[in-house]
Amino acid sequence: MIRRSFTLIIGLILVFALAACGSSSTGGEGTGAKGTLIFADAGFDSLSFHNAVAQTIVEGGYGYETDIMPGSTPATLEGLANGDIDIYMEIWTDNVIDQYSAMLEDGSVVEMGSNYADNAQGLYVPTYVIEGDADRGIEPVAPDLKTVADLEKYWELFKDPEDPNKGRIVGAIPGWAVDEIITVKVETYGLDEQYNIFRPGSGPALDTSIAKAYQSGEPWVGYYWEPTWIMGMYDMTLLEEPEYTQEGWNDGYSTAFPSVDVTIAMNSETHEETPEVAEFLTKFSSSNQLANEALAYMQDNDATAEEAAIWFLQEKEEIWSEWVPTEVADKVKAAIQ
C-alpha cells in the first residue's frame, strides 16, 4: 500500500521534532504530502525505462514521490502482494503464471492492463544478409532466407570458424532455460546435421558477437530477444517459424516462441487509495518497437533510465499525453523543462 508519514500535531515543538525525524525512513515511508509510491525493479533494462517514465509522470503530474525496490522477480512479486511494493510496470506473466494467478485470485494484486504484448524471441539474422544494405555497399547473400528451416541450405554462409565443415548458430547463455529450447529446436528442424551451436559465456558476450558482426557487415545467425537495445540499434530480422500452438510447442518446440503478455499491476490497497494513478496506469501502453528505441537511446548516449524517460516524454508527447488528463500533462511538461 502507499506509505505515508503521519504527524501528530501537539504544539510547535512536537511538529518540528516529527518533521525532523520523519523526513527519512525505510520500508517505503514517504516524505511528500501524498506519500511515496514504490515501484518494483527486477533488474532488466526495459522495466527500468518503463519505471522511469511512470515515476516521472506520477511525480510531476500527480504530486507523489516515488522510489524503487530491487529484487528478484519472485521476491518483488511477493513484495507487490504484501504491500511493500505499490506498482509493477512489467510482469512477464507466462514466466510466473502460478504465482501471478494466485495473487490476482486472492485479491492482493489488481491487474491494470497490458504494457505490451508484441515481444519476440528466436533466431535472428542481420537484415542485410537477406536484403543487402546499399548505403554500406553490402549485397544480399541469402535473399531467399525467410524461415529457420531455410538455414539448412545456407550453412556455408555462417561457417563455424572452429569447424569449417559446419555452420555456427550462436545460442543462448548456458544455464538459461531457453538454451535447452534452442538446442531442441535445432534438432527438430534437422539443423544439427549442418550446424554447431556456440554458446556465449554471458549476455555481454552475446551482445558483442552481434555488434562485431553487424559493424563488419558479416553474416550472423543466432538467438536473441526483444525489446533490447541491440534490436533498437541494429536492423535484425527474426526468422519465421510455424505459428505457435501448444501442441507444436510440446512436440520439439516446433513452432515460434509464444509472445508473452507483459502486464502492469498494483497492490490492491494502493489501487484503492490512489484512483487517479490507477486510472493513468490503465492507459499506459508501450510497444516492442518503442522499448527497443528507448533502450537503443540509452546505449547510444550512455544515458540512464531517468534520462531516457525525459527524452521519451519530450520527443513522444503525442503518445504519453493520451494516458493522462490535460492538466496532468501540462504539469509533467513543466516539470521536465
Side-chain angles (χ1 to χ4, degrees):
M1 72 185 74
I2 182 173
R3 258 60 59 181
R4 291 186 172 85
S5 297
F6 293 96
T7 306
L8 180 61
I9 305 178
I10 309 177
L12 188 59
I13 295 176
L14 185 54
V15 170
F16 281 110
L18 287 174
C21 66
S23 61
S24 63
S25 55
T26 59
E29 299 239 350
T31 63
K34 288 189 172 183
T36 299
L37 291 171
I38 307 299
F39 286 71
D41 179 10
F44 48 96
D45 290 342
S46 58
L47 174 56
S48 296
F49 167 69
H50 287 127
N51 274 349
V53 170
Q55 286 179 267
T56 304
I57 292 173
V58 166
E59 290 177 357
Y62 292 98
Y64 292 88
E65 293 186 1
T66 71
D67 204 347
I68 62 170
M69 181 174 289
S72 66
T73 298
T76 49
L77 283 172
E78 183 178 349
L80 182 69
N82 66 30
D84 290 334
I85 290 171
D86 297 297
I87 297 168
Y88 215 126
M89 292 300 298
E90 281 193 31
I91 301 176
W92 290 67
T93 53
D94 283 11
N95 297 343
V96 290
I97 190 64
D98 292 339
Q99 184 180 8
Y100 185 56
S101 296
M103 291 159 51
L104 294 177
E105 186 174 347
D106 68 21
S108 60
V109 167
V110 180
E111 183 174 289
M112 296 292 94
S114 178
N115 186 329
Y116 58 96
D118 57 346
N119 49 83
Q121 58 182 317
L123 295 181
Y124 288 81
V125 298
T127 300
Y128 58 71
V129 168
I130 302 170
E131 300 178 4
D133 186 340
D135 291 340
R136 301 174 65 191
I138 300 173
E139 296 291 330
V141 290
D144 297 324
L145 176 58
K146 294 182 179 179
T147 71
V148 171
D150 289 339
L151 288 170
E152 180 180 2
K153 58 187 177 184
Y154 285 111
W155 71 268
E156 291 182 286
L157 189 61
F158 305 101
K159 276 190 179 180
D160 187 339
E162 297 177 2
D163 181 5
N165 293 317
K166 282 192 171 185
R168 168 180 284 189
I169 292 173
V170 180
I173 312 306
W176 289 8
V178 74
D179 177 40
E180 179 184 353
I181 294 173
I182 293 297
T183 300
V184 174
K185 274 183 175 288
V186 167
E187 295 172 355
T188 297
Y189 287 110
L191 298 175
D192 53 323
E193 298 288 333
Q194 294 89 17
Y195 287 88
N196 297 318
I197 298 177
F198 174 80
R199 296 170 175 83
S202 66
L206 176 57
D207 294 348
T208 298
S209 74
I210 297 175
K212 183 179 179 181
Y214 200 98
Q215 291 162 9
S216 301
E218 298 172 354
W220 183 95
V221 61
Y223 170 76
Y224 215 74
W225 69 97
E226 47 189 317
T228 56
W229 70 265
I230 283 281
M231 292 301 168
M233 184 169 292
Y234 302 126
D235 186 2
M236 304 288 287
T237 293
L238 177 63
L239 296 178
E240 297 175 8
E241 297 183 69
E243 184 177 354
Y244 171 82
T245 64
Q246 188 65 57
E247 181 180 4
W249 187 255
N250 293 339
D251 183 19
Y253 304 112
S254 58
T255 73
F257 281 85
S259 184
V260 178
D261 190 16
V262 182
T263 65
I264 300 170
M266 295 181 76
N267 172 270
S268 59
E269 292 189 34
T270 307
H271 178 264
E272 292 181 6
E273 295 173 352
T274 61
E276 74 281 27
V277 175
E279 178 67 16
F280 152 57
L281 292 175
T282 64
K283 296 179 179 179
F284 189 110
S285 180
S286 185
S287 69
N288 194 37
Q289 179 180 349
L290 180 60
N292 278 341
E293 187 178 354
L295 298 180
Y297 174 86
M298 290 170 62
Q299 178 72 19
D300 205 28
N301 294 276
D302 195 24
T304 64
E306 291 73 21
E307 291 167 337
I310 298 299
W311 164 82
F312 166 78
L313 293 167
Q314 292 176 338
E315 298 295 324
K316 308 288 185 179
E317 183 181 328
E318 73 281 1
I319 296 175
W320 68 266
S321 61
E322 297 294 320
W323 304 340
V324 297
T326 301
E327 62 271 19
V328 172
D330 290 341
K331 291 178 182 179
V332 173
K333 286 184 281 187
I336 61 176
Q337 295 303 317

